[in-house]
Amino acid sequence: MADDVPFSWMREVGGVFRLGSGVLGKSVIGLGLLVVVGGIAITHLHSDWAILTIFGAVVLAFFVWFFPVLSFCKKHPDAALLDGAEWTGYQRDRVAAKGYTPLPNDFEHQQLAPGTDSGIIQIGAGSEPK
């Protein structure tokens, strides 16, 4: 009997709402769920004290989320709004605008040095890392 319930309408509703990508778009999903759960809790509670407590917790959670995300967006607007291939394409275009277009084989001979934060070591054909 549970197999008779169609859930295709959920996919259609999900297609209507297009949230942004990047850190901002991903974090808003969690905040939206919190607001929905808080709203459901408020409508089902009968005590004024409990309603105000839940409302205050949701408002506090919003501001605890909002200001750090706003600060992150100021520092890193590309990562805040772009995700995955969009971010990679943006970085590639940014580097190309500076006049550097890497060749595909430029990346074949590089690897991150173990135990370092930003060291890239060159590996020649048949040689050990330098």
Side-chain angles (χ1 to χ4, degrees), residues 22 33 35-36 55 69 76 81 84 92 94 101 107 117 120 124 127:
L33 287 174
V35 168
V36 167
F55 181 75
V69 166
H76 311 284
L81 299 175
R92 186 177 54 241
R94 197 172 117 210
T101 306
F107 299 106
D117 293 327
I120 294 179
S127 65

Side-chain angles (χ1 to χ4, degrees), residues 25 31 33 40 49 52 56 64 68 71 74 79 81-83 88 92 94 98 100 102 105 110 123:
L31 183 70
L33 287 174
I40 291 171
W49 181 82
L52 290 176
V64 165
S71 173
K74 281 183 184 177
L81 299 175
L82 302 175
D83 191 31
T88 305
R92 186 177 54 241
R94 197 172 117 210
K98 292 181 181 179
Y100 174 70
N105 61 358
Q110 293 181 356
I123 299 177

Side-chain angles (χ1 to χ4, degrees), residues 65-107:
W65 167 83
F66 181 71
F67 289 113
V69 166
L70 192 63
S71 173
F72 181 81
C73 289
K74 281 183 184 177
K75 293 178 186 173
H76 311 284
D78 54 339
L81 299 175
L82 302 175
D83 191 31
E86 294 172 344
W87 183 82
T88 305
Y90 170 76
Q91 294 297 332
R92 186 177 54 241
D93 292 344
R94 197 172 117 210
V95 169
K98 292 181 181 179
Y100 174 70
T101 306
L103 300 173
N105 61 358
D106 287 348
F107 299 106

